[in-house]
Amino acid sequence: MLSSIHPLGERARHNRWTVTVGAFTVGALASGAAVGILLGATGSMALSLDRDALLVSTAVVALVAGVLDLTGVKAPGPNRQVNETWIGAFRGWVYGGGFGLELGLGFATYIVTWGVYATFLAATLTASAVGGALVGATFGIGRSLSVVAAGYVDRPTRLTTFHRTLADAGPIVRSTSSASFAALGLVVLVGAML
């Protein structure tokens, strides 16, 4: 569904791709930051750990998430995607913003990686509304990258190439991001013990 938000498709629907993607990005950033603020503020009230303990806890969460993904343990979560009937029924900025808001929340649609849980646990472990907002906003921006990457799709041949490239890159991106979570967690954990 998100693969249908590209200049070619938006032009066919009489929308401007930049407006749709802008709304998507703002929505994802806003909802990711809002969840991060809530979790960071909750962490600041509920956690009485010192900075080192928070850092080690975050490292362990990242390491565990990476290992779970690398070993193929499926992350639990909802079994739904954004409502594709919005495309064509609403203006581009409406469905772009709506889709962005849902995806930036992290838990409103399919969860394909334990990294989503690790990210929002990290927002909680910042024990700060500002720190949580930064983690959540970064997550939201990350959710916008695939839509932004479709910016060159202005004719059918490029659409075919884009979809093929996404499909081919999927396994590499999944294993790289999982390994990165695990490696980052391990490096921080080892560094904290030294």
Side-chain angles (χ1 to χ4, degrees):
M1 182 291 319
L2 290 178
S3 59
S4 51
I5 299 178
H6 47 74
L8 181 64
E10 290 305 291
R11 189 170 64 230
R13 290 184 286 273
H14 306 290
N15 294 322
R16 290 192 3 237
W17 178 79
T18 54
V19 172
T20 303
V21 170
F24 184 98
T25 303
V26 168
L29 175 88
S31 62
V35 170
I37 289 169
L38 178 66
L39 293 173
T42 301
S44 72
M45 293 182 285
L47 299 173
S48 59
L49 303 173
D50 64 19
R51 283 186 149 323
D52 289 340
L54 290 171
L55 183 63
V56 168
S57 299
T58 304
V60 168
V61 165
L63 176 61
V64 169
V67 168
L68 286 171
D69 280 341
L70 285 170
T71 57
V73 177
K74 186 179 179 321
N79 192 20
R80 68 174 293 276
Q81 189 53 279
V82 295
N83 189 346
E84 72 272 357
T85 61
W86 288 12
I87 296 177
F90 299 109
R91 300 289 299 163
W93 67 269
V94 174
Y95 61 78
F99 293 167
L101 283 168
E102 284 190 73
L103 291 173
L105 290 173
F107 302 105
T109 60
Y110 287 112
I111 298 174
V112 297
T113 175
W114 286 94
V116 173
Y117 293 102
T119 299
F120 286 114
L121 277 170
T124 305
L125 291 169
T126 65
S128 152
V130 172
L134 289 172
V135 171
T138 302
F139 175 82
I141 290 293
R143 299 286 260 187
S144 303
L145 294 179
S146 66
V147 179
V148 171
Y152 79 99
V153 177
D154 59 357
R155 54 184 168 269
T157 54
R158 286 186 174 180
L159 180 60
T160 303
T161 301
F162 178 69
H163 285 287
R164 188 175 300 121
T165 302
L166 279 181
D168 291 346
I172 296 165
V173 170
R174 275 189 293 278
S175 60
T176 301
S177 65
S178 300
S180 296
F181 260 101
L184 178 65
L186 187 59
V187 167
V188 171
L189 198 54
V190 169
M193 289 193 239
L194 296 177

